[in-house]
């Protein structure tokens, strides 16, 4: 991919995120009420992650800011990020987030997408310049880890949608946390689950892609999840069988960036995210095949075309602006 996460681009993305992670409205709440006392504002329900239109977008907005600060600690927005984290990622506010997850009705709250992003944020804060940030988040992190431990053995089937309920994406992000903090038990649970769900998949047709509000490719994120959790040799055998016709650009739908007809429509705007997440997957998967493999240039070209299609639209309308830059940073910073 020719686009790089330069300090100038990092500054642009940081400015976008700083403008929405503490913007409370508009807000979309998926909230179960046990009584009238539970009717509260977003910031009352979530003392940290109340901005960015919804909880999970705010979480990955914080992840993006942490990643950008790590990569570009001298960019103009760096001090604003430090001030934000030192104000928001403190024990009292995180305790409020924990209290929400301790509610009986919150058992499945943000499962699995928000869970995966919370662990991705915790992994990014691990070993960061100020250990107090990750330490403050740790009570919530521990709750989410336990959510995965409780849920995955009960999850007989994977969810293969291209939206928030996709299970491969959550496993993929959680694996980064488990490896970063050396939680071998969690990592093995993720690996066993991925094998149980996906190991027998072959000749993926990708016939349902893209759906009208996808921001993930069910086929490519499954492949990226399996790549992350299997050994290189085991993955190579599985991948050859799962997508056997990449050199011929088949399935064709995986190689064409999606058309986005209305970026003011929150669901249709998801399709810009599909381009960015596909770029991440294609670039990551391309690194697993030999340089002389005929699939490699095809995959790299697909990654480039999808990145360029999506990155031009990370700002402009709040329906995309509150989250798309995170996926751009995911694509740019995890594959360079």
């Amino acid at each position: 991919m020719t686009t790089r996460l330069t300090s100038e681009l990092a500054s642009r993305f940081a400015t976008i995120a700083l403008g929405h992670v503490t913007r409370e409205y508009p807000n979309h709440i998926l909230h179960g009420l046990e009584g009238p006392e539970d009717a509260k504002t977003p910031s009352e329900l979530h003392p940290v992650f109340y901005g960015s239109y919804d909880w999970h977008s705010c979480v990955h907005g914080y992840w993006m800011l942490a990643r950008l600060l790590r990569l570009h600690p001298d960019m103009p927005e760096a001090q604003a990020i430090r001030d934000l984290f030192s104000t928001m990622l403190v024990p009292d506010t995180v305790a409020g987030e924990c209290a929400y997850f301790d509610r009986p009705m919150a058992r499945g709250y943000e499962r699995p997408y928000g869970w995966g992003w919370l662990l991705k944020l915790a992994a990014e804060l691990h070993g960061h310049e100020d250990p107090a940030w990750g330490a403050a988040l740790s009570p919530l992190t521990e709750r989410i880890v336990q959510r995965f431990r409780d849920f995955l053995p009960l999850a007989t089937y994977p969810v293969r949608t291209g939206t928030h309920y996709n299970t491969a994406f959550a496993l993929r992000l959680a694996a980064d946390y488990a490896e970063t903090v050396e939680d071998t038990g969690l990592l093995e649970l993720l690996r066993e689950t991925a094998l149980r769900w996906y190991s027998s998949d072959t000749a993926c047709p990708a016939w349902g892609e893209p759906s009208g509000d996808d921001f993930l490719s069910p086929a490519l994120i499954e492949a990226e999840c399996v790549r992350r959790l299997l050994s290189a040799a085991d993955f190579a055998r599985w991948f050859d069988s799962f997508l056997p016709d990449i050199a011929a650009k088949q399935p064709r739908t995986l190689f064409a960036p999606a058309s986005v007809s209305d970026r003011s429509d929150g669901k249709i705007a998801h399709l810009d995210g599909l381009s960015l997440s596909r770029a991440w997957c294609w670039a990551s998967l391309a690194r697993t095949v030999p340089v002389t493999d005929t699939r490699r240039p095809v995959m790299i070209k697909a990654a480039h075309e999808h990145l360029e299609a999506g990155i031009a639209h990370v700002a402009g309308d709040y329906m995309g602006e509150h989250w798309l830059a995170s996926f751009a940073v995911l694509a740019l910073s995890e594959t360079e």
Side-chain angles (χ1 to χ4, degrees), residues 6-336:
T6 62
S7 59
E8 291 78 14
L9 191 56
S11 179
R12 177 189 170 205
F13 289 159
T15 298
I16 291 172
L18 288 167
H20 63 67
V21 292
T22 56
R23 176 177 171 178
E24 190 165 4
Y25 299 102
N27 205 300
H28 179 267
I29 298 178
L30 184 61
H31 172 54
L33 284 75
E34 297 179 54
E37 68 279 2
D38 290 332
K40 298 178 180 179
T41 65
S43 58
E44 290 172 326
L45 296 170
H46 297 291
V48 182
F49 304 118
Y50 61 83
S52 306
Y53 189 72
D54 48 42
W55 191 87
H56 49 256
S57 297
C58 196
V59 171
H60 61 73
Y62 272 78
W63 167 81
M64 181 181 73
L65 290 170
R67 173 62 60 89
L68 295 176
L69 182 61
R70 184 192 293 273
L71 297 176
H72 296 281
D74 297 321
M75 64 182 174
E77 297 74 20
Q79 190 56 49
I81 297 172
R82 295 184 180 103
D83 292 344
L84 173 73
F85 287 4
S86 295
T87 300
M88 301 300 289
L89 296 178
V90 295
D92 285 349
T93 56
V94 174
E97 294 285 350
C98 291
Y100 189 90
F101 276 86
D102 289 342
R103 298 169 65 247
M105 289 194 69
R107 176 183 177 183
Y109 183 69
E110 287 290 347
R111 183 178 77 196
Y113 182 76
W115 294 4
W117 271 117
L118 193 283
L119 293 193
K120 183 73 168 169
L121 170 60
E124 190 63 35
L125 293 176
H126 185 79
H128 215 300
E129 64 178 53
D130 190 340
W133 303 332
L137 190 67
S138 62
L140 181 58
T141 303
E142 291 165 6
R143 282 166 169 78
I144 299 302
V145 169
Q146 191 59 47
R147 288 286 203 278
F148 273 105
R149 293 186 186 278
D150 293 342
F151 172 67
L152 293 181
L154 302 176
T156 305
Y157 309 106
V159 179
R160 302 176 186 273
T161 184
T163 54
H164 305 87
Y165 299 103
N166 184 284
T167 45
F169 184 73
L171 261 60
R172 168 63 183 81
L173 298 190
D176 287 346
Y177 169 80
E179 186 172 85
T180 297
V181 304
E182 299 180 342
D183 187 336
T184 56
L186 177 61
L187 191 60
E188 185 56 29
L189 174 61
L190 298 170
R191 182 176 293 112
E192 290 173 354
T193 303
L195 286 169
R196 175 164 56 86
W197 284 345
Y198 306 123
S199 63
S200 63
D201 290 355
T202 59
C204 177
W207 62 265
E209 297 192 36
S211 294
D213 65 349
D214 281 356
F215 61 87
L216 298 169
S217 162
L220 293 180
I221 194 56
E222 177 179 336
E224 173 58 14
C225 172
V226 175
R227 181 205 65 79
R228 184 65 179 80
L229 287 164
L230 266 60
S231 69
D234 288 343
F235 172 72
R237 287 189 291 270
W238 179 89
F239 190 52
D240 289 348
S241 178
F242 181 65
L243 288 173
D245 298 315
I246 288 175
K249 294 187 178 181
Q250 297 291 336
R252 186 176 303 276
T253 185
L254 296 181
F255 295 88
S259 174
V260 185
S261 61
D262 184 356
R263 291 186 169 88
S264 68
D265 184 298
K267 293 293 189 179
I268 295 174
H270 277 180
L271 293 165
D272 280 321
L274 176 63
S275 290
L276 294 169
S277 67
R278 280 185 175 181
W280 167 48
C281 290
W282 275 128
S284 181
L285 295 168
R287 296 168 63 186
T288 70
V289 301
V291 174
T292 56
D293 194 307
T294 56
R295 293 173 295 177
R296 187 179 176 96
V298 173
M299 296 162 76
I300 291 174
K301 185 173 186 289
H304 171 76
E305 291 176 348
H306 279 87
L307 179 69
E308 297 306 312
I311 205 167
H313 303 289
V314 297
D317 191 284
Y318 196 58
M319 287 300 96
E321 191 171 284
H322 75 272
W323 67 280
L324 280 170
S326 298
F327 276 71
V329 172
L330 189 68
L332 291 169
S333 67
E334 300 237 329
T335 56
E336 287 184 346

